Amino acid sequence: MAESKPSYDRVLNFSAGPSALPLTVLEQCRDDMLNFKGAGMSVMEMSHRSKVFGEIFAEAKNDLREILKVPEDYEILFMQGGATTQFSCVPLNFSTLSDEVPDYIVSGGWSKKAAAEASKLLGKEVNIVTDNTEDLSVTVADPSTWRLNKKAPYTYYCVNETVYGLQMKDIPETKNPLIADFSSCFMSEPIDIAKFGAIIAGAQKNIGPAGATVVIIRKDLLGKAVPTCPVLLNYQTLASKDSMYNTPPCYAIYVCGLVFKWMKSQGGLEKLGEINRQKAKLLYDAIEGRKFWKAPVDAKYRSIMNVRLEIWPTEIRDKELEKRFVEKAESKGLLNLKGHRSLGGIRASIYNAQTLEACHTLVNFMKDYQDKNATR
Ligand SMILES: *Cc1c(COP(=O)(O)O)cnc(C)c1O
């Protein structure tokens, strides 16, 4: 896929998800739409049992394994239902690993939801190791204060809390299997897969369209589900049929496959991670460098994917100026910068497909806005 110049009146999309995809990927989708490589039909119209789709699937899975360096003792599954369905799958598949309740590290709204779902399905409260959601805080308590239980069947956490813009950079130290929601930072930089029992990730943040969900699971953890586990939520069912027990999200997997090819063309995860950190630094430096802006998240936990900012023109935060910023940005083609409805403020999501150039455009727009609105 050759680099091409954008000429489609496309906006700069800073959406938290579904989010921007690489232009070359979309162009390839367009070119393949009516007749995929001589098959005489689109990928959407193919049987998932056909040879041609089988090849699309195998290539996507192999590329994912190669790019992410997934060890051979881990299975890769493509599921449906988004990361939220995984909140149900995790306790159903792993709670049997010990007699105790699982550990949940709550670092934001997504891990809180996962913990609540597990408590509901298990019929008893999970062990909340730490919880930062009560005061909508912007940090995580020091790990020395965490109430981890060595005998828990598993320890769950969310690596990047998309709404809070809070990223756990250190992998928690646990003896039991560590289960991680990677949705909004999946494949944004290399991951040491061997540290995890399982990884879950919805596609629509970094690797493709909504509809596909990736699960990477250590093989010895398969086949441990509770007996009443619904057949399609049981990882063993999917693993035994190479994700094709029923119809997989074919088109979404095809687009993920194209994104994986794009990732390779960009130099893989080392290189993408470098660019992603550069993008985030550019934005945080712009915020830090001037009194007008504030990054509410503790520097240690600032996400490289979802950058939250607020406007403090004086000692008092000005939500009206934030609202106008989002509107003004939109009029300039910088879209979806509004913070999550639960927190307000501004949030720029800068996933893999968002370019460094787009981040420069945003920073320049911020400077311009400040010059026009600063009162000190
Ligand atoms: C978006 C998101 C989810 C929910 O994903 P769905 O695919 O909408 O279910 C869960 N966890 C994190 C970290 C997310 O960013």
Side-chain angles (χ1 to χ4, degrees), residues 67 261-273 275:
I67 299 167
K261 296 264 182 256
W262 172 83
M263 286 180 178
K264 284 168 120 179
S265 77
Q266 301 298 299
L269 293 186
E270 300 281 351
K271 189 69 197 161
L272 281 169
I275 298 168

Side-chain angles (χ1 to χ4, degrees), residues 17-19 21 53 57 77-86 183 201-215 232 238 243 246-257:
S19 44
L21 286 165
F53 184 75
F57 180 87
L77 308 176
F78 287 92
M79 296 177 67
Q80 305 208 36
T84 307
T85 299
Q86 295 302 319
S183 295
Q204 72 272 23
K205 313 277 160 68
N206 254 322
I207 62 157
T213 310
V214 173
V215 177
L232 269 180
L238 284 117
S243 300
N246 73 332
T247 318
C250 300
Y251 196 78
I253 292 169
Y254 152 75
V255 181
C256 289

Side-chain angles (χ1 to χ4, degrees), residues 53 56 64 103 128 131 235 274 276 284 288 308 333 355:
F53 184 75
I56 292 171
L64 194 163
D103 277 356
I128 303 297
D131 184 349
Y235 296 138
E274 212 175 279
N276 284 331
Y284 287 120
E288 286 288 306
R308 258 173 73 206
T355 61

Side-chain angles (χ1 to χ4, degrees), residues 14 279 282-283 350 354-363:
F14 293 94
K279 280 151 50 181
L282 184 68
L283 288 178
I350 48 171
Q354 193 56 280
T355 61
L356 186 59
E357 196 187 348
C359 295
H360 275 293
T361 305
L362 176 56
V363 164

Side-chain angles (χ1 to χ4, degrees), residues 16-18 81-87 109-111 113 156 158-163 181-185 200-205 210-213 306 347 351:
T84 307
T85 299
Q86 295 302 319
F87 297 171
W110 289 119
S111 42
K113 276 191 177 145
Y156 178 100
C158 175
V159 183
N160 186 64
E161 285 283 356
T162 321
V163 172
D181 176 0
F182 263 92
S183 295
S184 49
C185 60
I200 62 172
Q204 72 272 23
K205 313 277 160 68
T213 310
N306 312 97
R347 175 178 52 168
Y351 300 117

Side-chain angles (χ1 to χ4, degrees), residues 174-306:
T174 58
K175 290 266 180 291
N176 45 15
L178 187 59
I179 315 296
D181 176 0
F182 263 92
S183 295
S184 49
C185 60
F186 189 56
M187 301 181 86
S188 63
E189 57 187 339
I191 304 172
D192 187 357
I193 303 287
K195 292 243 159 73
F196 298 90
I199 280 173
I200 62 172
Q204 72 272 23
K205 313 277 160 68
N206 254 322
I207 62 157
T213 310
V214 173
V215 177
I216 301 174
I217 173 171
R218 214 173 66 211
K219 285 177 181 165
D220 66 297
L221 298 176
L222 287 165
K224 313 275 190 196
V226 299
T228 54
C229 183
V231 68
L232 269 180
L233 302 191
N234 190 330
Y235 296 138
Q236 177 64 39
T237 312
L238 284 117
S240 66
K241 302 285 183 198
D242 201 10
S243 300
M244 299 226 198
Y245 179 82
N246 73 332
T247 318
C250 300
Y251 196 78
I253 292 169
Y254 152 75
V255 181
C256 289
L258 294 178
V259 172
F260 299 153
K261 296 264 182 256
W262 172 83
M263 286 180 178
K264 284 168 120 179
S265 77
Q266 301 298 299
L269 293 186
E270 300 281 351
K271 189 69 197 161
L272 281 169
E274 212 175 279
I275 298 168
N276 284 331
R277 280 187 292 275
Q278 230 177 314
K279 280 151 50 181
K281 184 169 187 310
L282 184 68
L283 288 178
Y284 287 120
D285 282 354
I287 296 165
E288 286 288 306
R290 294 162 161 233
K291 284 225 158 61
F292 190 73
W293 309 98
K294 204 170 191 170
V297 179
D298 180 357
K300 197 167 159 236
Y301 288 102
R302 279 178 195 161
S303 168
I304 64 163
M305 294 278 101
N306 312 97

Side-chain angles (χ1 to χ4, degrees), residues 43-84:
V43 176
M44 270 181 262
E45 302 166 294
M46 284 173 190
S47 165
H48 58 296
R49 311 277 178 210
S50 64
K51 183 164 174 286
V52 54
F53 184 75
E55 282 164 9
I56 292 171
F57 180 87
E59 211 165 307
K61 189 173 159 182
N62 289 340
D63 282 341
L64 194 163
R65 191 179 287 280
E66 183 190 322
I67 299 167
L68 199 50
K69 298 193 170 70
V70 180
E72 280 308 316
D73 58 332
Y74 283 75
E75 186 58 78
I76 298 170
L77 308 176
F78 287 92
M79 296 177 67
Q80 305 208 36
T84 307

